[in-house]
Amino acid sequence: METKSLILLMFLLQAIINGVKPTPNNQAFKCSKNGNFDSDNLLKERDYAFNVLYKNLDTPNSVFPGYEISSGNGIWVTSLCPPHAQHQHCRSCVNTTIPYLKKNCPKQKEGVAWTIYLKVYCMVRYANNPNFGNIAEWGWFTPPATHPPTPANAGELEKALNDLSNQLKEKVKGLNNNKYGTGSINYGPGSKTLYAAMQCIRGIAIEECVKCLSDATNEIHKCCSKLRKTGGIVLSNKCSYWYEHFKFFP
């Protein structure tokens, strides 16, 4: 997990969304390298903030679905799900991710973890500052290596993902939305349909969001399109880019 990119195979097509505990193959984490908490009190404050975060998920957030934030004394915690996620699925995902993150980043000052299901993902992160700025690595998730590649060549898939990226960044930049965009495009032999979604966290400046999504597009090529993967998702602690050859959003 200390490499720049966290490359994990996940059983994406075999996951069941209704509360089944994910396997380690569809979870990833990253801890900061800027030191550990120097007191047990701060760890208790982190746990308190996690508890508040989970309780906040009891009430759906109609303004920005899937996003919650809580804080303790000097600790900030956030969670994020796609806006299309059903409330109970987001809540279950976050509830699974919190202990996973605490286990793998037991004392570090900052950490982030992701959990992926078939049509929903979530992110949970914490830090000793409100900017969450000390983790720049990406999480990569792809279908199992045994899954056959797309019939399109890598160049066709890469171009389709670039075209979708440009479309979705414009949607994410739109007013009165959740910094979330979805879309589809036909490409390659047999006019295959490619579905994709992009998302940024709340509170991020539009310029920073667009830059993160551009970086995500570069990451999706490294993990997935160059290998002709039928699907994949890349996530940082600020944004995500997900594509599939089936429709995973409403």
Side-chain angles (χ1 to χ4, degrees):
M1 289 297 178
E2 294 301 326
T3 59
K4 177 182 180 294
S5 298
L6 308 173
I7 306 175
L8 296 176
L9 294 178
M10 73 170 184
F11 297 107
L12 187 61
L13 300 178
Q14 300 171 353
I16 302 174
I17 200 169
N18 290 319
V20 175
K21 184 177 180 181
T23 69
N25 281 338
N26 59 347
Q27 288 185 295
F29 70 92
K30 185 63 183 178
C31 312
S32 68
K33 300 178 182 179
N34 64 332
N36 295 338
F37 292 123
D38 54 11
S39 75
D40 289 339
N41 286 336
L42 286 173
L43 287 174
K44 291 178 181 178
E45 290 294 340
R46 183 187 69 170
D47 291 346
Y48 169 78
F50 277 136
N51 290 336
V52 172
L53 176 77
Y54 186 65
K55 289 179 180 178
N56 287 346
L57 287 166
D58 284 335
T59 303
N61 187 332
S62 59
V63 177
F64 194 84
Y67 181 89
E68 294 292 344
I69 185 168
S70 66
S71 62
N73 184 15
I75 302 295
W76 286 262
V77 173
T78 67
S79 67
L80 184 69
C81 296
H84 73 262
Q86 293 186 29
H87 177 66
Q88 67 269 28
H89 295 155
C90 178
R91 192 173 188 269
S92 176
C93 186
V94 170
N95 189 43
T96 298
T97 308
I98 288 174
Y100 173 79
L101 177 55
K102 289 170 61 177
K103 176 183 177 181
N104 288 288
C105 300
K107 295 184 177 181
Q108 288 86 346
K109 291 181 179 179
E110 186 171 346
V112 60
W114 307 276
T115 298
I116 314 295
Y117 289 96
L118 180 61
K119 295 185 178 182
V120 174
Y121 72 87
C122 66
M123 175 183 72
V124 177
R125 60 181 187 160
Y126 74 88
N128 63 341
N129 66 85
N131 297 319
F132 298 91
N134 292 313
I135 298 179
E137 287 81 1
W138 291 82
W140 290 359
F141 296 85
T142 67
T146 54
H147 198 271
T150 175
N153 64 48
E156 290 169 329
L157 180 56
E158 184 170 339
K159 182 181 183 304
L161 286 168
N162 284 339
D163 291 343
L164 266 176
S165 173
N166 291 332
Q167 294 176 25
L168 299 185
K169 281 186 283 190
E170 291 303 312
K171 290 186 177 182
V172 170
K173 288 161 58 178
L175 298 177
N176 300 319
N177 76 358
N178 298 310
K179 287 191 171 66
Y180 180 76
T182 62
S184 63
I185 192 171
N186 294 328
Y187 82 104
S191 192
K192 298 291 185 182
T193 303
L194 188 68
Y195 301 90
M198 282 183 158
Q199 184 175 21
C200 287
I201 60 170
R202 189 176 71 173
I204 190 173
I206 288 297
E207 296 78 10
E208 187 177 4
C209 172
V210 171
K211 182 184 183 306
C212 186
L213 295 175
S214 295
D215 292 341
T217 304
N218 292 332
E219 294 293 320
I220 209 82
H221 293 322
K222 293 177 187 176
C223 80
C224 306
S225 65
K226 291 184 183 300
L227 301 175
R228 297 168 58 208
K229 296 289 187 179
T230 56
I233 179 171
V234 295
L235 309 99
S236 73
N237 68 347
K238 295 180 180 179
C239 72
S240 66
Y241 189 10
W242 189 354
Y243 80 90
E244 296 289 351
H245 283 77
F246 61 87
K247 192 175 183 181
F248 58 93
F249 49 82

